[in-house]
Amino acid sequence: MPEQMKPYLPTVLLLLLIAYLGVQALTGERGLLSGGERDALLAQRQTQLMRLAEQRQDLEVRVRYLRTESLSKDLLEERARAVIGFADPRDYVVRLNGPAGHNPDATRAS
């Protein structure tokens, strides 16, 4: 490297570092220009948090009804039928062969 360039080398490196940090401050993941993306992500996460809080509250109610001091026989029977696949002989079972909204008569006519 020529002797005339040596005094300018630290200055050039410092300017490149400042330019890099400036670009990152504007366009980086947490930069000034990415505020809209952060706001959209925050709104999505808040919606997800509300949904999870509702699910938790529902599960807490179900657990409360399954405790021995306040056992709900209907809820216990519903869970047993869902888990085991048990159906009472007096129950009506409706079987669906196709997707919801599928009309088998419409396919025969065409």
Side-chain angles (χ1 to χ4, degrees):
M1 191 176 283
E3 291 294 323
Q4 297 170 346
M5 296 288 289
K6 282 189 178 180
Y8 299 111
L9 186 60
T11 305
V12 170
L13 291 176
L14 187 60
L15 285 175
L16 288 174
L17 179 66
I18 290 173
Y20 172 76
L21 293 176
V23 168
Q24 288 298 317
L26 289 175
T27 62
E29 182 179 323
R30 298 175 184 260
L32 296 174
L33 300 178
S34 65
E37 294 173 14
R38 284 194 313 264
D39 292 341
L41 182 62
L42 178 64
Q44 178 186 2
R45 297 279 168 86
Q46 285 177 338
T47 305
Q48 182 181 13
L49 178 64
M50 287 175 29
R51 189 177 68 248
L52 289 174
E54 290 173 3
Q55 287 178 354
R56 179 183 175 152
Q57 189 175 20
D58 181 50
L59 289 173
E60 286 176 354
V61 168
R62 287 175 171 258
V63 166
R64 189 175 339 132
Y65 285 138
L66 289 175
R67 290 194 179 126
T68 55
E69 61 268 2
S70 63
L71 185 63
S72 171
K73 291 181 183 179
D74 290 334
L75 183 61
L76 182 63
E77 183 180 353
E78 174 190 334
R79 292 306 309 149
R81 288 179 186 208
V83 171
I84 299 173
F86 173 75
D88 191 277
R90 297 172 292 179
D91 288 345
Y92 291 104
V93 178
V94 178
R95 295 184 183 187
L96 301 175
N97 293 332
H102 179 69
N103 187 356
D105 295 331
T107 56
R108 288 185 197 142
S110 52

